[in-house]
Amino acid sequence: MVTLGLTPRQADLFRSTVGFCEPRVPDGSIYGLLHRECERLFPDEMFADLFTDVGRRSVPPMIVAVVMVLQRIEGCSDREAVERFCFDARWKYAAGGLDFDYPGFVHTVLVDMRARLAASAGPNRIFDAVLEVASAAGLVGRRRVLDSTPIYDAVATMDTVTLVRSAIRGLLKAADAELERALRAVLTREDDYLGAGKPVCDYDDPAARAEMVDALARDGAALLGVLDGRELDEAVEQAGALLATVLGQDLDRDEAGVFRIARRVARDRVISTVDPEARHGHKTAARGFDGYKGHIGVDPDSEIITATAVGAGNAGDAAAAEELIGDLLEERTTDAAAEIDTTAGVDATTTAAEVDGAVAAATVAAATVAAATADGAGEADRACVYGDNAYGTGEFQDRLDRAGIESKCKTQPPVAAGGRFAKDRFDIDLDAETVRCPAGNTTPIIRDRNGAGTAAFGTVCAGCPLREQCTTARAGRTISVGIHEGALAAARARQRQPGWMADYRATRPKVERKFGHLMRRKHGGRRARVRGTTKIAADFALLAAAVNLARLAVLGVASTASGWAGAAR
């Protein structure tokens, strides 16, 4: 039981770090900003819900929050961070100007604080508090630049045999004594599965390797057979699911019933039993990595990070896009709801269906107004999102269009093998549901149950004089028409407008510099310090909060009688 500890307000004039640090620490540094504003940024009361009403006093949470922020900006481990707090005068100065001999604390205090935050209703409250200050100072506008970067996992990637053996060990470890006896009774390999590492085998002998793989797989399958039909606790259920996953993703059974390593790579392959959420990823076609992707949204004018997200390394960038612009989408929804109040006449008798219809109508109206004023007044105040080709999917372009948010997300132009006619050489008429080819032939679009369509020219291509420039397929050219085809066509048309590419090239690269600030430390920056999506996401948000604080210090943000304000520029 731990109660809320309070930061001391009265410093000793002769022992305080203020007199020593004040002439030496720049006002525009993160240490100077925290010294001046830490009590307003992270007051102890901000963390009151994490503690009980009775028990021993905690280390004051404001001090812990300052240490956590400085730990992330300097790339320290927990032990290094508490040592810095003890012996680096700047850290105590940043925590409000504590005395030189202010007592330190053990590194497990940081572990405990992260756990308390993760279990709370506001796990990212430090990031949110910093972002609120930036917003109050007028530094967060309505433009966003989105991008992602690899975050390497904190574990070693395992090969197939190590994965299977480790999954077996994990299941045996999770089982209680009675279940473990039942599980061990069906094992046939000469292995107690107690020690970690690769199975013992003559790896230079192909026959020995094949026999070992088959024996491992049979042990794993036998263990799953014991679990079948039993009522299992959560830990055993998760361990059993992991074992089933690694057996199914990497192994095949031949006609003789022998298990062999599959000559394929599973689409969502688990690469470690220590961190089952890590994945093989590719930032580019030629550059792979193991781990996660860190996503950020940045205000390009102030370079403040407005949102963060962490996803699997093999997930597309657009999967996190809506989360990164959640504030803009919420703003548009609020505007649409206000439009309902004034034009749709919502009252106590309005049905849910009528409300939904009115919201949709208001949203479409907002999108129409935004498109109509694309070259008019109010351009600087219009919501706008920038992103590279990874964000220019039809689904995300359509989402932006429906929300009335201007899209500056680049969309990949269509290509065709051998320099033949690309898709954009065909006239796709979505109103008439037809496609006309460069030779002037027209065919209907046939839709499936999901709304995706296909236009097949078939025998028309046989005698076409442009056939060699169009297709080599015997059945003729086929054009796929996606459910977001209209949004993609509109996006490609926008990219051809004068000034669009110049604005894109001037704005989008700003996010690359911000990633340079985030990833300059390998420990806790480029490489994760923790395991699992949830913990890495919390750590990444804390890193973004620290980088934002450093940016606020450079911009001269300070609290005033009327609120937060930046230095005049």
Side-chain angles (χ1 to χ4, degrees):
M1 303 290 283
V2 181
T3 62
L4 179 68
L6 298 178
T7 305
R9 296 288 187 264
Q10 187 68 39
D12 188 306
L13 180 63
F14 299 103
R15 294 186 297 166
S16 172
T17 54
V18 175
F20 175 77
C21 291
E22 205 161 48
R24 295 174 173 84
V25 175
D27 289 339
S29 69
I30 190 173
Y31 307 101
L33 174 66
L34 285 171
H35 170 71
R36 296 188 304 271
E37 310 293 355
C38 60
E39 293 183 4
R40 299 173 188 83
L41 283 165
F42 313 125
D44 293 323
E45 295 74 21
M46 172 180 163
F47 304 92
D49 61 301
L50 306 182
F51 301 94
T52 60
D53 294 330
V54 295
R56 61 183 177 82
R57 285 294 180 95
S58 69
V59 177
M62 188 211 75
I63 294 175
V64 179
V66 168
V67 170
M68 290 173 70
V69 166
L70 293 178
Q71 174 189 20
R72 300 303 290 113
I73 200 74
E74 295 193 13
C76 300
S77 68
D78 289 346
R79 286 184 171 85
E80 289 170 336
V82 296
E83 285 182 3
R84 293 279 182 91
F85 179 72
C86 282
F87 302 111
D88 190 331
R90 294 176 303 173
W91 284 50
K92 289 182 178 177
Y93 176 71
L98 299 174
D99 295 341
F100 281 105
D101 59 352
Y102 186 86
F105 51 87
V106 296
H107 73 279
T108 53
V109 169
L110 298 174
V111 178
D112 179 68
M113 178 60 92
R114 288 196 295 268
R116 290 175 184 272
L117 286 170
S120 73
N124 291 333
R125 67 186 69 187
I126 293 177
F127 174 82
D128 294 338
V130 176
L131 184 59
E132 285 177 12
V133 169
S135 298
L139 297 175
V140 179
R142 302 176 68 221
R143 298 201 301 164
R144 299 288 182 273
V145 186
L146 313 182
D147 207 356
S148 71
T149 192
I151 298 178
Y152 304 147
D153 56 21
V155 298
T157 301
M158 298 178 174
D159 58 31
T160 298
V161 294
T162 308
L163 269 175
V164 175
R165 186 174 183 276
S166 180
I168 291 174
R169 291 181 61 246
L171 176 57
L172 293 172
K173 185 177 180 180
D176 58 29
E178 181 181 352
L179 179 57
E180 183 180 2
R181 284 193 296 270
L183 292 172
R184 289 191 175 278
V186 300
L187 298 176
T188 58
R189 284 188 70 243
E190 293 184 4
D191 190 342
D192 57 15
Y193 294 101
L194 294 178
K198 295 185 71 169
V200 177
C201 174
D202 182 2
Y203 287 94
D204 293 329
D205 183 353
R209 291 201 310 269
E211 182 181 352
M212 179 264 298
V213 169
D214 181 62
L216 266 177
R218 290 182 184 280
D219 272 3
L223 294 180
L224 294 178
V226 173
L227 299 182
D228 188 28
R230 288 177 178 254
E231 185 175 343
L232 307 173
D233 61 33
E234 184 179 358
V236 175
E237 185 176 358
Q238 290 178 352
L242 180 59
L243 175 57
T245 298
V246 299
L247 287 174
Q249 71 180 11
D250 285 354
L251 299 173
D252 284 334
R253 206 167 188 171
D254 62 19
E255 297 177 355
V258 177
F259 287 97
R260 300 186 184 279
I261 295 177
R263 301 298 180 187
R264 54 179 168 76
V265 177
R267 183 174 182 180
D268 195 37
R269 184 174 183 267
V270 174
I271 61 176
S272 171
T273 58
V274 180
D275 188 356
E277 296 178 34
R279 293 292 185 270
H280 292 306
H282 282 87
K283 184 58 180 171
T284 66
R287 181 171 147 227
F289 65 93
D290 292 336
Y292 299 82
K293 278 185 181 178
H295 306 262
I296 62 172
V298 175
D299 182 294
D301 300 311
S302 63
E303 297 186 24
I304 293 294
I305 300 171
T306 59
T308 66
V310 169
N314 60 351
D317 287 0
E322 285 199 38
E323 183 178 353
L324 297 177
I325 61 168
D327 57 336
L328 298 182
L329 294 175
E330 183 179 355
E331 173 188 284
R332 303 303 297 180
T333 302
T334 302
D335 291 346
E339 183 73 14
I340 294 171
D341 289 338
T342 57
T343 63
V346 174
D347 55 30
T349 63
T350 305
T351 66
E354 289 170 337
V355 171
D356 290 343
V359 169
T363 302
V364 171
T368 303
V369 171
T373 60
D375 298 318
E379 182 175 353
D381 192 44
R382 199 179 327 127
C384 183
V385 175
Y386 296 77
D388 59 19
N389 287 322
Y391 297 94
T393 63
E395 183 178 2
F396 189 54
Q397 296 282 18
D398 183 61
R399 182 70 181 94
L400 293 176
D401 289 345
R402 287 187 288 109
I405 298 173
E406 183 181 3
S407 173
K408 289 294 181 74
C409 294
K410 196 174 179 183
T411 294
Q412 188 75 29
V415 295
R420 297 181 176 87
F421 293 145
K423 186 176 178 179
D424 58 359
R425 294 291 302 274
F426 291 75
D427 182 13
I428 301 174
D429 190 335
L430 296 177
D431 294 327
E433 286 288 284
T434 60
V435 176
R436 183 164 59 88
C437 74
N441 299 307
T442 301
T443 190
I445 300 172
I446 307 301
R447 300 280 183 179
D448 61 19
R449 66 179 63 183
N450 297 318
T454 302
F457 287 88
T459 56
V460 175
C461 296
C464 180
L466 301 179
R467 178 183 175 87
E468 290 186 1
Q469 301 175 60
C470 187
T471 183
T472 59
R474 287 186 180 180
R477 183 67 181 263
T478 300
I479 298 295
S480 297
V481 182
I483 60 177
H484 301 295
E485 195 67 40
L488 287 172
R492 292 178 181 127
R494 285 195 297 267
Q495 291 176 200
R496 294 191 290 269
Q497 293 176 0
W500 192 99
M501 189 57 69
D503 181 36
Y504 174 86
R505 288 173 176 166
T507 306
R508 202 208 70 83
K510 293 182 179 181
V511 73
E512 304 293 348
R513 180 166 60 222
K514 191 54 58 176
F515 274 128
H517 298 161
L518 288 165
M519 300 298 164
R520 61 182 174 179
R521 310 283 186 184
K522 183 176 180 180
H523 179 68
R526 179 62 67 195
R527 185 169 295 281
R529 303 185 313 125
V530 288
R531 301 192 296 263
T533 304
T534 301
K535 290 182 178 180
I536 293 175
D539 214 41
F540 192 57
L542 186 59
L543 174 59
V547 171
N548 276 349
L549 276 172
R551 181 62 180 164
L552 293 179
V554 170
L555 296 175
V557 171
S559 59
T560 67
S562 57
W564 294 93
R569 288 180 294 167

